[in-house]
Amino acid sequence: MIGKRLAKLRKNASLTQKELAKQLNLTLYAISAYENNRNEPPDSIKILFAKRFNVSIDYLLGMTDNPNVYEDDPYFIRLPSSFPLAKKEELLNYMNYIIYQSNESKNKKNQKY
């Protein structure tokens, strides 16, 4: 899947394989091999591709059809690396409470007296 996506991104950017190889300090052979699924790029190269084309790794791997990086998604919240995973359920409960409060507030505004 990555080969097809990479070729599409490169062509949409109006780049030749040679130009992309030069930009990323790779060989023309490597770009060709990745695009034709003859070789799997290492993670470090996948990251280079994602950064160069401003897409998510998930998009490159075919896990999503949305090429946007997560930070562009208004519903995506990145937790700090120090966030205790044991508190995840508590956080989800609090988020549900906020949604409930918001819905209650809307319902009160829509009530007729």
Side-chain angles (χ1 to χ4, degrees), residues 79-91:
L79 296 175
S81 59
S82 61
F83 186 83
L85 290 180
K87 296 289 187 174
K88 180 180 173 184
E89 188 170 342
E90 187 176 335
L91 177 61

Side-chain angles (χ1 to χ4, degrees), residues 32-94:
S32 176
Y34 298 149
E35 286 188 7
N36 291 297
N37 293 311
R38 288 192 309 268
N39 286 339
E40 175 80 15
D43 291 346
S44 60
I45 301 299
K46 291 173 189 168
I47 292 169
L48 276 177
F49 291 143
K51 287 182 178 181
R52 168 57 185 88
F53 295 113
N54 195 32
V55 297
S56 69
I57 296 290
D58 288 348
Y59 175 77
L60 282 176
L61 297 176
M63 295 175 65
T64 180
D65 290 328
N66 181 359
N68 297 326
V69 292
Y70 292 117
E71 286 77 14
D72 292 341
D73 183 346
Y75 294 102
F76 177 78
I77 299 172
R78 183 179 300 276
L79 296 175
S81 59
S82 61
F83 186 83
L85 290 180
K87 296 289 187 174
K88 180 180 173 184
E89 188 170 342
E90 187 176 335
L91 177 61
L92 291 172
N93 287 335
Y94 184 67

Side-chain angles (χ1 to χ4, degrees), residues 3 26-27 29 31 54 65-66 74 77 85 89 94 96 101 108 111:
L26 300 170
T27 66
Y29 173 80
I31 298 295
N54 195 32
D65 290 328
N66 181 359
I77 299 172
L85 290 180
E89 188 170 342
Y94 184 67
N96 286 328
Q101 279 187 318
K108 286 181 181 179
Q111 284 180 345

